[in-house]
C-alpha cells in the first residue's frame, strides 16, 4: 500500500484551494455531465480515480489514518472539510456512496443509474445498508421493483436515463444513414462483435445505397484504430466521429435515422428515444470465456432484454444474439424497411427496457423539493 501511495504522490495532480459547495458530484469521470444542470458555483467534483487530490486532505488523511483504507478515509475527510449538503452520483455501485448516510445522516444522497444492471450487480446491492440514500433514479419499473426488495422502495423512482432525457425524441435533422456505436476501448482488443457487425453493415449499405458513420468513445482517433479501420476496407464508411464531451454521442445520434450497435447502454437509450436500432452480438457463438477473450466484456452484459423478458428468446425483429451474415442482413432490413406502424409495435414489446421522460420533468420536480440548485433553464 505504501508503494501505491508513493505512486499516487508522484503521478497525481495536487491542488491547494479548498472550497465549500452545496453539491458534491461523485465523481468526474462517471458524472461529469451533471455540472450542466447545476447552478454555477454551487457544485464541485470529487475525483475518485486518482486524477487529482487536495494536498491538505491527502496528507492529513495519511497522518491520521495511515495507508490502510486510504481511499475511503480520504473521501470521508473530504466531506468533513467541504461540508456538502447534497452528494449526487451516477456511479451507482460504488460502496463509498452507501456509507455516507451512516457517517453523515444530514447529507442528502442522490444516486442515478448510469448503466445496465445485471444479476451480479443486484447481488452487490444486497450488501449495502438499506437506508443509504434519499433518492435512487433508475431506468425502468423492473429495476425499481428489484431494488425495492433491497432498499426502501418509496425512495426509488423510474425515470429512464437522465442523460438521454435531455435530448429530444424528435430532432429536426435526420441523416438517412447509419451511425455505428463503437464499443472499442483503447488498449484493449478490437471487439469481434464490432468487427463482424460493421463488415455486415458495410455489405448491407453497399447493396442498399446507404452509408454509415462510426461514433467512437474518445476525443481523438488513435493511429492504431485508424489502421484497424483501414484494414477492414469498408466501401460505404463515410466518417469516424470523435467524442468531444459527454453530450457528443447523444447529439450526433439524434441526427441519424438508423443506429447500429453490438450492445450498449447508448443503444438502449436510442431505443427509448424511438430510434430505429439494429443490435447484433455473438452471445450464441461462443462460450463465456471465448466471448470475453474476443470482446473484452463478459457475456452477461447483453442487450438488456434478458432479465425482463418472460421468454428467453435469442433473437427478435431488430436484434439477435447470433453473429452471422444472415441474421445481420435480416435485422438491418427490418430496421430500414419496416413501416412506422410495425416499428411502433416492436418498440412497445420492450417499452420497459428504458423509460423516456423528456427534459427530466420527474427528476427536476423531486429535486426542487430539497432545494437542489437547478439551473434556471430547467425550472
Amino acid at each position: 500500500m505504501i508503494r501505491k501511495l508513493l505512486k499516487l504522490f508522484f503521478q497525481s495532480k495536487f491542488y491547494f484551494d479548498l472550497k465549500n459547495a452545496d453539491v458534491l458530484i461523485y465523481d468526474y469521470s462517471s458524472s461529469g455531465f451533471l455540472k450542466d444542470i447545476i447552478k454555477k458555483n454551487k457544485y464541485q467534483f470529487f475525483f475518485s480515480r486518482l486524477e487529482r487530490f487536495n494536498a491538505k486532505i491527502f496528507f492529513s488523511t495519511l497522518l491520521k489514518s495511515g495507508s490502510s483504507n486510504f481511499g475511503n478515509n480520504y473521501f470521508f475527510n473530504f466531506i468533513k472539510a467541504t461540508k456538502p449538503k447534497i452528494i449526487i452520483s451516477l456511479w451507482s455501485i460504488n460502496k463509498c456512496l452507501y456509507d455516507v448516510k451512516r457517517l453523515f445522516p444530514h447529507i442528502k444522497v442522490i444516486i442515478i443509474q448510469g448503466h445496465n444492471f445485471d444479476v451480479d450487480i443486484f447481488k452487490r446491492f444486497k450488501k449495502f445498508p438499506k437506508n443509504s440514500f434519499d433518492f435512487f433514479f433508475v431506468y425502468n419499473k423492473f429495476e425499481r421493483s428489484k431494488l425495492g426488495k433491497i432498499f426502501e422502495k418509496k425512495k426509488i423512482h423510474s425515470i429512464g436515463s437522465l442523460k438521454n432525457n435531455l435530448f429530444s425524441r424528435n430532432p429536426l435533422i435526420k441523416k438517412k444513414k447509419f451511425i455505428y456505436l463503437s464499443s472499442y476501448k483503447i488498449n484493449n482488443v478490437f471487439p469481434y462483435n464490432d468487427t463482424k457487425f460493421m463488415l455486415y453493415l458495410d455489405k448491407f449499405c453497399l447493396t442498399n445505397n446507404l452509408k454509415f458513420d462510426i461514433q467512437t468513445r474518445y476525443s481523438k482517433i488513435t493511429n492504431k484504430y485508424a489502421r484497424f479501420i483501414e484494414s477492414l476496407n469498408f466501401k460505404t464508411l463515410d466518417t469516424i466521429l470523435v467524442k468531444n464531451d459527454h453530450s457528443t454521442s447523444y447529439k450526433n445520434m439524434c441526427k441519424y435515422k438508423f443506429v447500429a450497435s453490438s450492445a450498449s447502454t447508448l443503444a438502449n437509450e436510442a431505443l427509448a428515444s424511438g430510434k430505429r436500432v439494429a443490435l447484433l452480438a455473438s452471445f450464441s457463438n461462443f462460450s463465456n470465456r471465448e466471448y470475453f477473450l474476443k470482446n473484452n466484456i463478459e457475456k452477461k452484459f447483453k442487450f438488456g432484454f434478458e432479465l425482463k423478458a418472460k421468454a428467453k428468446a435469442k433473437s427478435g425483429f431488430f436484434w439477435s444474439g447470433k453473429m452471422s451474415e444472415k441474421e445481420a442482413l435480416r435485422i438491418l432490413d427490418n430496421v430500414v424497411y419496416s413501416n412506422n406502424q410495425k416499428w411502433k409495435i416492436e418498440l412497445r414489446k420492450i417499452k420497459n427496457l428504458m423509460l423516456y421522460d423528456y427534459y427530466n420533468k420527474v427528476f427536476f420536480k423531486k429535486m426542487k423539493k430539497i432545494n437542489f440548485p437547478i439551473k434556471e433553464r430547467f425550472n
Side-chain angles (χ1 to χ4, degrees), residues 79 83-86 100-101 103-109 134:
I79 294 174
K83 299 178 174 59
K85 297 177 182 176
I86 298 169
V100 170
K101 296 293 283 186
L103 299 172
F104 309 95
H106 61 284
I107 294 178
K108 299 289 185 184
V109 176
D134 296 276

Side-chain angles (χ1 to χ4, degrees), residues 71-190:
N72 285 5
N73 291 332
Y74 174 81
F75 174 52
F76 297 134
N77 286 336
F78 190 92
I79 294 174
K80 290 177 184 176
T82 57
K83 299 178 174 59
K85 297 177 182 176
I86 298 169
I87 296 177
I88 186 169
S89 180
L90 274 82
W91 197 352
S92 51
I93 54 172
N94 189 292
K95 186 178 183 300
C96 283
L97 292 170
Y98 295 83
D99 287 333
V100 170
K101 296 293 283 186
R102 175 174 58 83
L103 299 172
F104 309 95
H106 61 284
I107 294 178
K108 299 289 185 184
V109 176
I110 302 165
I111 299 173
I112 303 164
Q113 185 175 358
H115 55 79
N116 291 328
F117 293 160
D118 64 20
V119 174
D120 289 343
I121 287 177
F122 284 113
K123 289 179 181 177
R124 289 175 66 178
F125 281 131
K126 291 180 180 179
K127 298 178 181 179
F128 301 149
K130 183 174 183 178
N131 184 26
S132 49
F133 53 78
D134 296 276
F135 296 92
F136 197 145
F137 295 98
V138 297
Y139 287 162
N140 54 55
K141 294 177 182 177
F142 172 84
E143 259 112 21
R144 181 174 186 264
S145 176
K146 290 281 286 185
L147 289 173
K149 296 175 182 178
I150 304 170
F151 304 110
E152 296 181 68
K153 192 171 184 178
K154 65 181 180 181
K155 295 180 179 180
I156 305 167
H157 310 278
S158 307
I159 63 165
S161 162
L162 192 75
K163 284 193 281 189
N164 191 52
N165 289 345
L166 293 173
F167 298 90
S168 173
R169 179 176 284 186
N170 300 302
L172 297 176
I173 303 172
K174 284 190 178 179
K175 298 180 181 181
K176 195 176 180 182
K177 60 179 179 177
F178 276 91
I179 181 171
Y180 186 87
L181 307 177
S182 173
S183 59
Y184 170 69
K185 295 181 180 180
I186 290 176
N187 298 325
N188 288 332
V189 298
F190 292 103

Side-chain angles (χ1 to χ4, degrees), residues 314-332:
K314 295 181 179 179
S315 65
F317 186 72
F318 58 86
W319 59 280
S320 178
K322 182 180 180 180
M323 184 65 69
S324 71
E325 183 175 325
K326 181 180 178 181
E327 280 293 86
L329 299 181
R330 176 185 68 82
I331 63 175
L332 290 168

Side-chain angles (χ1 to χ4, degrees), residues 34-47:
L34 290 171
K35 65 182 176 58
D36 293 342
I37 67 173
I38 305 173
K39 288 180 180 178
K40 191 176 180 180
N41 300 323
K42 292 291 185 179
Y43 68 87
Q44 66 176 318
F45 288 103
F46 179 80
F47 295 87

